[in-house]
Amino acid sequence: MNKSGNNSGAGAARFAPPFMIFIRHGQTDWNAEGRMQGQRDIPLNDTGRDQARRNGAALRDYLKEQDISLKDLSYFVSPLSRAVETMDLIFGELDLPTDLYQRDERLREITFGAWEGYTIPEIAARSPEQAAARKADKWGFVPPEGESYRMLSSRIDAWLATITHPAVVVSHGGVMRVLQGRLLPMPPQDIPTLDIPQDRFLVWKDGEIEWV
């Protein structure tokens, strides 16, 4: 378990409940190939399914250790199939019925628009000036027909402001970067580069972040 910092002065943290768990969906083939996935509906691969089961078992053990009841939590998931299947596999480990979780459109991944399906080297070869602009400002850059991290943060802030109950959330790497950046004080330009593993989950508790 790794803890990171305290949230004093964090921007959107004032909207967050005292306890939340964020889980990134398991690996897909496009993750493994380094393709910009965005809102394309790419399914989990076998590695991703194993990661989801691992996170479900670890979550079950963590909640038991913390004496937190499953019935005291709300459950939210992105509607993209890789997130829904991840939640289904986690629920299998928790022995919960899948009608307990809510799909929320605001938890969809950041969209890369016309760039989805391409790797960064492929984009650099096709659009070198735009690739350089993205590298210089990942927070504010808007891909063709896509969405910037700044735009995503507005969507996630709106969602976060509605969460008033301890929750478990399954979503995406970009979403979880923004969530972590909103909960902890950090420069916006650092948010798009945060590492978001698929074989651990993030716990927000008492103003601190911990990876389990």
Side-chain angles (χ1 to χ4, degrees), residues 66-87:
Q66 298 294 317
D67 196 27
I68 297 170
S69 173
L70 294 171
K71 67 181 181 181
D72 292 335
L73 301 170
S74 298
Y75 302 88
F76 300 93
V77 64
S78 159
L80 294 176
S81 64
R82 59 189 182 270
V84 172
E85 185 178 3
T86 297
M87 183 68 99

Side-chain angles (χ1 to χ4, degrees), residues 29-46:
D29 285 346
W30 278 21
N31 287 145
E33 294 165 6
R35 299 194 177 277
M36 302 192 82
Q37 197 158 226
Q39 294 186 6
R40 293 284 290 274
D41 205 7
I42 310 303
L44 298 181
N45 59 25
D46 287 342

Side-chain angles (χ1 to χ4, degrees), residues 140-163:
F141 179 78
V142 183
E145 303 172 32
E147 184 179 27
S148 68
Y149 272 92
R150 181 184 289 114
M151 294 161 67
L152 173 62
S153 72
S154 296
R155 167 157 58 95
I156 297 308
D157 279 356
W159 172 81
L160 193 59
T162 68
I163 305 303

Side-chain angles (χ1 to χ4, degrees), residues 7 10-14 139 153-154 156-157 160 176-186 188 191 204:
N7 78 308
R14 65 185 182 277
W139 176 254
S153 72
S154 296
I156 297 308
D157 279 356
L160 193 59
M176 291 182 67
R177 289 183 185 98
V178 167
L179 282 167
Q180 187 172 346
R182 306 312 271 170
L183 294 171
L184 296 175
M186 66 178 66
I191 292 173
W204 168 255

Side-chain angles (χ1 to χ4, degrees), residues 71-123:
K71 67 181 181 181
D72 292 335
L73 301 170
S74 298
Y75 302 88
F76 300 93
V77 64
S78 159
L80 294 176
S81 64
R82 59 189 182 270
V84 172
E85 185 178 3
T86 297
M87 183 68 99
D88 285 343
L89 291 167
I90 289 169
F91 266 41
E93 297 295 328
L94 299 177
D95 196 25
L96 288 175
T98 55
D99 60 359
L100 282 182
Y101 62 71
Q102 302 176 49
R103 304 185 192 203
D104 195 307
E105 292 288 335
R106 293 169 295 183
L107 293 172
R108 283 179 176 268
E109 178 63 295
I110 186 173
T111 176
F112 298 110
W115 284 5
E116 291 181 1
Y118 295 97
T119 65
I120 294 298
E122 288 170 346
I123 291 167

